[in-house]
Amino acid sequence: MGKLVTPETYFIGYSTLNTEEFSRYLTDSGNEDFQASVDSARKEGLSDGEILTSFYAKLCYASLTVGKNANISRVRDIPDNLRACWEQGHGSVWEHVNLNFVVRNCSRVFTHEIVRHRVGTAFSQTSGRYVRGDTVNIVFDPILNPVRERIERLQRTIEIEYCEMVKEMGLDTMTDFNRKKKITSALRRVMPNGQSNEIGFSVNLRALRHIIQLRTGRHAEWEIRVVFGQVYRLIKDKYPLVFSGAVEEEVDGLIEVSGMKMQPYEKS
C-alpha cells in the first residue's frame, strides 16, 4: 500500500577549485599574490564556488592583483568584489558555478513547474516509460487534511486497479522489452499528478538566486515552496554571499525569501 509523503531535498554536488591547476595559472600569469585573497576568503567561510565567481569577475578587468591593469590602483578583496557584482548587476560571472540537487517524494505537479526554469538548469527525472507504478505514493499538501481519508481511499483504488491492469496485460511475464516499455508508458496515463517520483537538477548560482526568490514567494504553489525553502536552507550558510541582500519572512508556515537585487537598475 502506498503512503502519503512530503518532499525531501538533498545537496549532492558542487563546483570546486582544482587547486593544483589554479595555482599553476596564478604562477604562470604573475598573479601569485591572489592566493592570499583566496586564503583569506576561505578563513571568512566563503566557498570555492564563490571564490571561483570572484576570480572570473576579476579576470574580466585584469584585477586579480595590482599592476595588471593600469586603470586601477587597488583591487577589492573577494567578499567586497562579490557584493559589488550583485550591486552592479554583473550576474553572468555567477553562471560559472553549478550546484547539484536531488529531490525525492516530489510530485509531477512540482516537476512540471520546475522544468520551466530552462536557463541555467539541467534536469533528470524518474522515467514513467520505464518505471512502473505498482506502489502509488502521493505527495500530500496539508491543506487537504479535511479530505485526507477520501484521498487515501482513492489512492488504494488506483493502486489496486493499476496492479490488476498490469496483471491482465501480462507485464510480469512479458519478454518483449519494447512492448513492455510501451505498455508501462501507456499505463502512467491513469496515474495522478500527485504521484511521488524523484528528480535531480543542477543549477548555476545566478539562476538559483532568481529561482529561490521566485519559488519561495507566497504566491507560489505549496510543494515548490517547500522544496526551494529546503534548497535555500541547505545553501545559505555554505555560500554566504550568493543570497546577499536576502530578506526572510515566514508566510503560511513556510519561508519566503525576497529583497535580492537581480538587475543593476533595481533598488536594493
Side-chain angles (χ1 to χ4, degrees), residues 28 73 89 144 148 152 254-255:
D28 290 352
S73 57
L144 296 176
R148 182 187 182 105
E152 288 176 328
L254 298 173
I255 194 168

Side-chain angles (χ1 to χ4, degrees), residues 34-49:
F34 185 64
Q35 185 61 52
S37 296
V38 172
D39 296 340
S40 175
R42 282 176 166 162
K43 286 179 182 177
E44 290 187 44
L46 269 67
S47 63
D48 275 9

Side-chain angles (χ1 to χ4, degrees), residues 36-103:
S37 296
V38 172
D39 296 340
S40 175
R42 282 176 166 162
K43 286 179 182 177
E44 290 187 44
L46 269 67
S47 63
D48 275 9
E50 289 162 312
I51 291 167
L52 271 169
T53 299
S54 179
F55 167 80
Y56 283 119
K58 287 172 171 288
L59 196 69
C60 295
Y61 303 106
S63 62
L64 288 167
T65 54
V66 174
K68 298 299 181 181
N69 181 349
N71 285 334
I72 60 175
S73 57
R74 65 181 183 87
V75 295
R76 297 178 188 267
D77 63 15
I78 290 174
D80 283 346
N81 174 237
L82 292 175
R83 292 187 190 98
C85 285
W86 288 132
E87 188 62 29
Q88 295 163 11
H90 192 184
S92 61
V93 293
W94 296 85
E95 295 176 11
H96 290 287
V97 175
N98 276 282
L99 307 182
N100 314 109
F101 300 89
V102 63
V103 186

Side-chain angles (χ1 to χ4, degrees), residues 15-25 35 42 48 52:
S15 299
T16 188
L17 282 171
N18 180 340
T19 303
E20 183 177 342
E21 281 295 287
F22 186 69
S23 297
R24 188 166 76 91
Y25 165 79
Q35 185 61 52
R42 282 176 166 162
D48 275 9
L52 271 169

Side-chain angles (χ1 to χ4, degrees), residues 108 125-132 162 181 184-186 188:
R108 300 263 166 175
Q125 184 176 352
T126 303
S127 172
R129 296 197 74 195
Y130 291 89
V131 181
R132 282 181 15 195
Y162 182 93
K181 180 181 71 174
T184 300
S185 178
R188 63 181 162 168

Side-chain angles (χ1 to χ4, degrees), residues 233-247:
R233 289 187 171 92
L234 285 168
I235 298 305
K236 71 171 187 171
D237 293 332
K238 295 180 175 65
Y239 292 75
L241 294 184
V242 170
F243 303 122
S244 178
V247 177

Side-chain angles (χ1 to χ4, degrees), residues 216-221 225 256:
T216 62
R218 65 190 67 192
H219 302 297
E221 202 272 337
R225 289 191 67 201
E256 178 182 66

